[in-house]
Amino acid sequence: TGITIDSLTSPDLDDGVHIEELGEEVMETLYIIASPTEIIDPNSAIDTEAIQRATSIYFGESHMYHMLPNLISTNIASL
């Protein structure tokens, strides 16, 4: 079973937990964090901008300042 640990109103679902029963008294727990490093080239314009921004900032539900372009943050790199 896998679930996101982001809030219900989060536009980018990039953190999750997966728990699976492997046997009697044996459970596997995976902590999942989306990593855009697979799709962004180092030293590219997007990489440079993301380094300058350093993080995403949320001002309530309607105002967001993403570290990465919206298409990547809320779609391509979203779980």
Side-chain angles (χ1 to χ4, degrees), residues 60-79:
E61 294 181 29
S62 59
H63 294 35
M64 291 158 253
Y65 185 73
H66 291 288
M67 181 173 69
L68 298 169
N70 193 44
L71 179 62
I72 295 173
S73 294
T74 61
N75 190 332
I76 297 170
S78 188
L79 299 174

Side-chain angles (χ1 to χ4, degrees), residues 9-58:
T9 59
S10 178
D12 47 349
L13 306 177
D14 54 6
D15 303 297
V17 176
H18 172 83
I19 301 171
E20 184 175 346
E21 186 174 351
L22 300 178
E24 190 174 317
E25 297 184 28
V26 178
M27 303 287 280
E28 176 182 67
T29 303
L30 303 173
Y31 300 96
I32 305 157
I33 301 171
S35 175
T37 58
E38 294 293 320
I39 57 172
I40 297 174
D41 293 325
N43 302 315
S44 66
I46 292 174
D47 184 47
T48 301
E49 181 68 18
I51 290 168
Q52 290 175 351
R53 292 182 182 200
T55 190
S56 296
I57 301 171
Y58 302 92

